[in-house]
Amino acid sequence: ETGVTQTPRHLVMGMTNKKSLKCEQHLGHNAMYWYKQSAKKPLELMFVYSLEERVENNSVPSRFSPECPNSSHLFLHLHTLQPEDSALYLCASSQDPRVNTEAFFGQGTRLTVV
Amino acid sequence: AQSVAQPEDQVNVAEGNPLTVKCTYSVSGNPYLFWYVQYPNRGLQFLLKYITGDNLVKGSYGFEAEFNKSQTSFHLKKPSALVSDSALYFCAVRYTGRRALTFGSGTRLQVQP
């Protein structure tokens, strides 16, 4: 248990569906992140939030929409996804990213788009 | 470009033997270096980090890593491998001015009994 919880653990959705991934951290951290992990590829950083403000958006398609209502919660809203979006989506948190502490990861949501 | 390279997709080692998982990084400012491990169907778990100071860093589960500035490397090591060490290992770097970690592609470690 790392203190970062992701739900659901598994999700299957059609290309016309709308769904949301949820992440919650109990570590008192100020920064939260979404990463995408695809087979045989490096982890891809998607979004960074610091103190609830989006500070980095790595050219992610608009069909992925993040939301950070407070420093403990992070969502990833999904709509009209493509099969190539199937992957493991990992949430992470850390202290102020200007401080070089490690990030703590959730167990991920395995997303399958059919 | 800022990047991290893990040149081996897979490393095989016999139980009880020493193991090394390689990592090199591109030079840009003063990078901070991390190793993570991922077990099947799990998220990434932090193992160790190098920020400054002693080039040999000790971490969880008996792992250690050696920072070599001249070779821009940060190889992960363990003196005696266990079957339970079999997992996917990621090297990561945080470059100056970046908020998030840049990860390598991962190396699968297989420890045979």
Side-chain angles (χ1 to χ4, degrees), chain A residues 12-24:
Chain A
V12 179
M13 60 185 290
M15 289 189 284
T16 59
N17 291 159
K18 291 184 179 181
K19 296 287 184 183
S20 296
L21 310 185
K22 179 182 177 182
C23 177
E24 183 174 1

PDB file of all heavy atoms in Angstrom, chain A residues 12-24:
ATOM      1  N   VAL A  12     -13.386  -1.744 -19.034  1.00  0.00           N
ATOM      2  CA  VAL A  12     -13.587  -2.024 -20.451  1.00  0.00           C
ATOM      3  C   VAL A  12     -14.644  -1.056 -20.938  1.00  0.00           C
ATOM      4  O   VAL A  12     -15.718  -0.957 -20.343  1.00  0.00           O
ATOM      5  CB  VAL A  12     -14.038  -3.477 -20.690  1.00  0.00           C
ATOM      6  CG1 VAL A  12     -14.257  -3.723 -22.181  1.00  0.00           C
ATOM      7  CG2 VAL A  12     -13.009  -4.458 -20.135  1.00  0.00           C
ATOM      8  N   MET A  13     -14.337  -0.329 -21.986  1.00  0.00           N
ATOM      9  CA  MET A  13     -15.306   0.638 -22.490  1.00  0.00           C
ATOM     10  C   MET A  13     -15.328   0.660 -24.014  1.00  0.00           C
ATOM     11  O   MET A  13     -14.310   0.387 -24.669  1.00  0.00           O
ATOM     12  CB  MET A  13     -15.022   2.033 -21.942  1.00  0.00           C
ATOM     13  CG  MET A  13     -13.672   2.606 -22.271  1.00  0.00           C
ATOM     14  SD  MET A  13     -13.373   4.199 -21.462  1.00  0.00           S
ATOM     15  CE  MET A  13     -14.508   5.286 -22.339  1.00  0.00           C
ATOM     16  N   GLY A  14     -16.492   0.968 -24.548  1.00  0.00           N
ATOM     17  CA  GLY A  14     -16.632   1.123 -25.976  1.00  0.00           C
ATOM     18  C   GLY A  14     -16.151   2.492 -26.410  1.00  0.00           C
ATOM     19  O   GLY A  14     -15.966   3.404 -25.592  1.00  0.00           O
ATOM     20  N   MET A  15     -15.943   2.628 -27.689  1.00  0.00           N
ATOM     21  CA  MET A  15     -15.382   3.873 -28.208  1.00  0.00           C
ATOM     22  C   MET A  15     -16.329   5.058 -28.064  1.00  0.00           C
ATOM     23  O   MET A  15     -15.892   6.212 -28.096  1.00  0.00           O
ATOM     24  CB  MET A  15     -14.965   3.687 -29.673  1.00  0.00           C
ATOM     25  CG  MET A  15     -13.735   2.796 -29.827  1.00  0.00           C
ATOM     26  SD  MET A  15     -13.092   2.768 -31.507  1.00  0.00           S
ATOM     27  CE  MET A  15     -14.286   1.711 -32.294  1.00  0.00           C
ATOM     28  N   THR A  16     -17.597   4.805 -27.860  1.00  0.00           N
ATOM     29  CA  THR A  16     -18.549   5.916 -27.720  1.00  0.00           C
ATOM     30  C   THR A  16     -18.876   6.221 -26.258  1.00  0.00           C
ATOM     31  O   THR A  16     -19.641   7.133 -25.972  1.00  0.00           O
ATOM     32  CB  THR A  16     -19.850   5.606 -28.475  1.00  0.00           C
ATOM     33  OG1 THR A  16     -20.411   4.395 -27.944  1.00  0.00           O
ATOM     34  CG2 THR A  16     -19.575   5.440 -29.960  1.00  0.00           C
ATOM     35  N   ASN A  17     -18.314   5.439 -25.342  1.00  0.00           N
ATOM     36  CA  ASN A  17     -18.634   5.634 -23.917  1.00  0.00           C
ATOM     37  C   ASN A  17     -17.914   6.837 -23.320  1.00  0.00           C
ATOM     38  O   ASN A  17     -16.930   7.345 -23.887  1.00  0.00           O
ATOM     39  CB  ASN A  17     -18.219   4.389 -23.121  1.00  0.00           C
ATOM     40  CG  ASN A  17     -19.074   3.182 -23.424  1.00  0.00           C
ATOM     41  OD1 ASN A  17     -18.649   2.062 -23.191  1.00  0.00           O
ATOM     42  ND2 ASN A  17     -20.256   3.393 -23.938  1.00  0.00           N
ATOM     43  N   LYS A  18     -18.417   7.249 -22.171  1.00  0.00           N
ATOM     44  CA  LYS A  18     -17.719   8.232 -21.326  1.00  0.00           C
ATOM     45  C   LYS A  18     -17.509   7.601 -19.957  1.00  0.00           C
ATOM     46  O   LYS A  18     -18.471   7.093 -19.367  1.00  0.00           O
ATOM     47  CB  LYS A  18     -18.552   9.508 -21.163  1.00  0.00           C
ATOM     48  CG  LYS A  18     -18.695  10.348 -22.402  1.00  0.00           C
ATOM     49  CD  LYS A  18     -19.449  11.629 -22.075  1.00  0.00           C
ATOM     50  CE  LYS A  18     -19.598  12.512 -23.301  1.00  0.00           C
ATOM     51  NZ  LYS A  18     -20.315  13.777 -22.990  1.00  0.00           N
ATOM     52  N   LYS A  19     -16.298   7.626 -19.502  1.00  0.00           N
ATOM     53  CA  LYS A  19     -15.974   7.060 -18.192  1.00  0.00           C
ATOM     54  C   LYS A  19     -14.937   7.957 -17.517  1.00  0.00           C
ATOM     55  O   LYS A  19     -14.331   8.820 -18.154  1.00  0.00           O
ATOM     56  CB  LYS A  19     -15.390   5.648 -18.333  1.00  0.00           C
ATOM     57  CG  LYS A  19     -16.335   4.611 -18.909  1.00  0.00           C
ATOM     58  CD  LYS A  19     -17.401   4.223 -17.914  1.00  0.00           C
ATOM     59  CE  LYS A  19     -18.278   3.101 -18.489  1.00  0.00           C
ATOM     60  NZ  LYS A  19     -19.381   2.754 -17.547  1.00  0.00           N
ATOM     61  N   SER A  20     -14.732   7.712 -16.228  1.00  0.00           N
ATOM     62  CA  SER A  20     -13.727   8.474 -15.482  1.00  0.00           C
ATOM     63  C   SER A  20     -12.881   7.549 -14.634  1.00  0.00           C
ATOM     64  O   SER A  20     -13.393   6.594 -14.041  1.00  0.00           O
ATOM     65  CB  SER A  20     -14.405   9.516 -14.589  1.00  0.00           C
ATOM     66  OG  SER A  20     -15.095  10.477 -15.349  1.00  0.00           O
ATOM     67  N   LEU A  21     -11.598   7.854 -14.561  1.00  0.00           N
ATOM     68  CA  LEU A  21     -10.681   7.190 -13.653  1.00  0.00           C
ATOM     69  C   LEU A  21     -10.477   8.099 -12.449  1.00  0.00           C
ATOM     70  O   LEU A  21     -10.388   9.323 -12.596  1.00  0.00           O
ATOM     71  CB  LEU A  21      -9.337   6.926 -14.328  1.00  0.00           C
ATOM     72  CG  LEU A  21      -9.357   6.250 -15.692  1.00  0.00           C
ATOM     73  CD1 LEU A  21      -7.929   5.960 -16.145  1.00  0.00           C
ATOM     74  CD2 LEU A  21     -10.193   4.993 -15.670  1.00  0.00           C
ATOM     75  N   LYS A  22     -10.366   7.462 -11.285  1.00  0.00           N
ATOM     76  CA  LYS A  22     -10.223   8.238 -10.055  1.00  0.00           C
ATOM     77  C   LYS A  22      -8.919   7.875  -9.356  1.00  0.00           C
ATOM     78  O   LYS A  22      -8.498   6.712  -9.347  1.00  0.00           O
ATOM     79  CB  LYS A  22     -11.392   7.955  -9.113  1.00  0.00           C
ATOM     80  CG  LYS A  22     -11.320   8.691  -7.782  1.00  0.00           C
ATOM     81  CD  LYS A  22     -12.485   8.333  -6.888  1.00  0.00           C
ATOM     82  CE  LYS A  22     -12.390   8.996  -5.516  1.00  0.00           C
ATOM     83  NZ  LYS A  22     -13.504   8.608  -4.626  1.00  0.00           N
ATOM     84  N   CYS A  23      -8.298   8.862  -8.764  1.00  0.00           N
ATOM     85  CA  CYS A  23      -7.086   8.669  -7.985  1.00  0.00           C
ATOM     86  C   CYS A  23      -7.202   9.481  -6.703  1.00  0.00           C
ATOM     87  O   CYS A  23      -7.633  10.638  -6.739  1.00  0.00           O
ATOM     88  CB  CYS A  23      -5.872   9.118  -8.786  1.00  0.00           C
ATOM     89  SG  CYS A  23      -4.306   9.004  -7.892  1.00  0.00           S
ATOM     90  N   GLU A  24      -6.791   8.868  -5.606  1.00  0.00           N
ATOM     91  CA  GLU A  24      -6.827   9.548  -4.309  1.00  0.00           C
ATOM     92  C   GLU A  24      -5.527   9.270  -3.574  1.00  0.00           C
ATOM     93  O   GLU A  24      -5.069   8.130  -3.522  1.00  0.00           O
ATOM     94  CB  GLU A  24      -8.021   9.046  -3.490  1.00  0.00           C
ATOM     95  CG  GLU A  24      -8.196   9.747  -2.158  1.00  0.00           C
ATOM     96  CD  GLU A  24      -9.472   9.320  -1.429  1.00  0.00           C
ATOM     97  OE1 GLU A  24     -10.209   8.453  -1.954  1.00  0.00           O
ATOM     98  OE2 GLU A  24      -9.728   9.853  -0.342  1.00  0.00           O
TER      99      GLU A  24
END
